[in-house]
Amino acid sequence: MEFRCPKVLEKTPEVMGFNLGKVALIIVCFLGFLFTFLNNFLASLIFPTLGGAYFFVASKFPGKGELTQFLKYKSGYHCIKMNQRLKYIIRTKGNDIEQ
């Protein structure tokens, strides 16, 4: 006997176009801002900033693992291949600086 899940339950639940993780983040940021607003205004601004930063990063790197791949690329070594000899490059760059 084989059990199948209905197509409706296979989809991820969404609220107003956002998945549940993003909705929970919006609620947590709003409540954190609301509860710290009267005690310290500058500290309360941390919550909307964190939420905005999360949405910015999520929209810039939508795929799974894209952010880590980008950070590994930026922190890795970058090699530049040149067709000219180093002596020639130093000589021409040194003349440009003196002039």
Side-chain angles (χ1 to χ4, degrees), residues 5 20 27 45 49 57 61 64 72 74 83 87 94:
C5 187
L20 286 182
I27 291 171
L45 292 178
T49 306
V57 170
F61 303 104
K64 186 175 182 178
K72 285 180 184 178
K74 282 295 189 182
N83 294 332
K87 192 182 279 186

Side-chain angles (χ1 to χ4, degrees), residues 48-95:
T49 306
L50 288 176
Y54 173 77
F55 280 105
F56 175 75
V57 170
S59 67
K60 188 165 180 150
F61 303 104
K64 186 175 182 178
E66 284 186 16
L67 178 62
T68 56
Q69 182 182 6
F70 176 73
L71 292 176
K72 285 180 184 178
Y73 171 74
K74 282 295 189 182
S75 64
Y77 293 107
H78 299 284
C79 296
I80 300 172
K81 293 183 179 179
M82 297 184 188
N83 294 332
Q84 300 170 347
R85 292 184 150 196
L86 188 60
K87 192 182 279 186
Y88 177 74
I89 294 171
I90 292 172
R91 192 175 336 142
T92 58
K93 292 297 179 187
N95 291 340

